[in-house]
Amino acid sequence: MTTVTVNFWDLVLLLIAFLAFVFAAGKVLLSQIDRRLNERFESMEKARKESSEHWDKSFAAVLDKLQQESSAWNQLERDFMNFKADLPLSYVRREDYIRGQTVIEAKLDALHSEIRVVQIKGGING
């Protein structure tokens, strides 16, 4: 049987070398993890900004459309108020027309009666 003798300082040196290797490997692994996390966060931030810009544009378009519709409704309301203001000038209610026509016909009937009276008196006197 063969025996292997290892000096204590060689064993300590071997242990230090192994720990240095594990530390270096851990550091490389952690730096890769950190780099990948940074890439992932940057891509998520980019996607969030693009989504935010998309929603900002969409909301701006909706707000513009609402503003236009509001302006259109305001214009329609102004036009309707102008129409209501001009309506009495260009339209006579049926009752008002009938009342006016009745007054005119009553005056014509009275005038006709006076003419007939004058004709009758003229026929008698003449």
Side-chain angles (χ1 to χ4, degrees):
M1 199 168 237
T2 8
T3 60
V4 177
T5 58
V6 178
N7 194 359
F8 175 75
W9 292 112
D10 290 338
L11 186 61
V12 170
L13 185 63
L14 188 62
L15 183 62
I16 290 173
F18 177 73
L19 289 176
F21 173 75
V22 168
F23 179 75
K27 188 172 182 177
V28 168
L29 181 64
L30 288 176
S31 69
Q32 286 180 353
I33 290 173
D34 188 43
R35 185 172 40 96
R36 297 220 188 249
L37 281 174
N38 285 339
E39 289 174 0
R40 184 172 180 203
F41 286 141
E42 286 173 4
S43 66
M44 289 173 66
E45 183 66 21
K46 182 180 176 185
R48 186 194 64 79
K49 284 182 182 178
E50 289 174 357
S51 176
S52 176
E53 289 173 2
H54 167 72
W55 284 112
D56 288 345
K57 288 178 185 176
S58 297
F59 287 141
V62 167
L63 288 175
D64 287 342
K65 192 171 189 179
L66 285 175
Q67 183 71 25
Q68 291 172 354
E69 288 178 3
S70 175
S71 298
W73 280 109
N74 287 338
Q75 183 62 39
L76 180 64
E77 186 176 5
R78 269 188 246 112
D79 291 345
F80 183 68
M81 290 298 181
N82 288 337
F83 172 74
K84 282 176 57 176
D86 293 340
L87 189 62
L89 301 175
S90 58
Y91 175 76
V92 177
R93 293 187 61 184
R94 183 176 182 204
E95 294 84 10
D96 293 339
Y97 177 76
I98 291 172
R99 187 179 323 116
Q101 199 65 23
T102 304
V103 168
I104 292 172
E105 288 176 5
K107 288 181 181 180
L108 286 175
D109 286 341
L111 184 62
H112 176 68
S113 296
E114 286 183 25
I115 291 174
R116 191 167 282 257
V117 167
V118 168
Q119 283 179 349
I120 292 174
K121 285 184 181 179
I124 296 176
N125 291 336

